Amino acid sequence: AQTEALALSVPDSGGVGLVPAFTGLGAPYWDMYARGTLLGITRGTGRAHIARATLESIALQTYDVLDVMQKETGIELSSLRVDGGASANGFLMQTQAVLETTALGAAYLAGLAAGIWKSTDELREFWELDDTFVPQISEQVRARQIHLWHRAVERARSWAEE
């Protein structure tokens, strides 16, 4: 809960980027030698910038996975439903604006595969809308965030050599 207030207390991350590759990077990078990095720290960097960069990194990781999914399937996503602890953070959800799916989605898929539910129509009965988030930043700002994220990811990749 504190990270949302911290992130909102600054206008941006101040050029700070965090790559949370603490056990390597999963999809879409699949780099077990990547390591967590915190880049762009200056004298003016405060804990609010780091909190904001951390939340942004979650959204940007999700962006990368969804981007690959859309490119490989040819299916454009118009929305995503979320659940779980991180979905309670309004700043994170607004930053994502294309939101992540978590354990509930995985459980639904497993239930479909196991025959617990017969169709996705049956699952729709369980879902309730709590809140909706739509993009509120310009395409230029979004492109800059994604560019800086990818630069940071490249610096984290293959850090720990075999």
Side-chain angles (χ1 to χ4, degrees), residues 12-85:
D12 55 42
S13 69
V16 174
L18 177 110
V19 179
F22 306 119
T23 59
L25 277 172
Y29 299 102
W30 303 115
D31 181 352
M32 65 187 214
Y33 300 108
R35 292 298 179 261
T37 59
L38 185 60
L39 304 161
I41 297 173
T42 67
R43 287 187 326 198
T45 300
R47 60 188 266 204
H49 296 103
I50 295 170
R52 188 171 180 125
T54 301
L55 293 173
E56 288 175 353
S57 76
I58 297 168
L60 290 160
Q61 280 184 300
T62 302
Y63 166 83
D64 281 348
V65 171
L66 295 175
D67 186 50
V68 167
M69 287 173 56
Q70 290 180 102
K71 286 176 181 171
E72 290 190 7
T73 65
I75 300 170
E76 186 174 329
L77 300 175
S78 61
S79 66
L80 218 46
R81 296 176 181 175
V82 300
D83 70 341

Side-chain angles (χ1 to χ4, degrees), residues 72-153:
E72 290 190 7
T73 65
I75 300 170
E76 186 174 329
L77 300 175
S78 61
S79 66
L80 218 46
R81 296 176 181 175
V82 300
D83 70 341
S87 67
N89 188 302
F91 175 81
L92 173 59
M93 295 298 96
Q94 184 58 58
T95 300
Q96 270 182 265
V98 176
L99 306 176
E100 70 172 309
T101 57
T102 57
L104 183 61
Y108 284 165
L109 288 175
L112 281 169
I116 295 170
W117 297 289
K118 295 186 184 343
S119 71
T120 55
D121 291 331
E122 195 175 340
L123 293 175
R124 284 187 183 94
E125 297 174 23
F126 299 115
W127 186 78
E128 293 179 22
L129 177 67
D130 282 339
D131 209 344
T132 301
F133 296 90
V134 295
Q136 292 184 352
I137 61 174
S138 71
E139 189 55 42
Q140 182 180 11
V141 171
R142 181 183 311 278
R144 174 116 177 99
Q145 286 180 332
I146 292 167
H147 173 74
L148 290 174
W149 164 251
H150 288 152
R151 285 181 63 204
V153 167

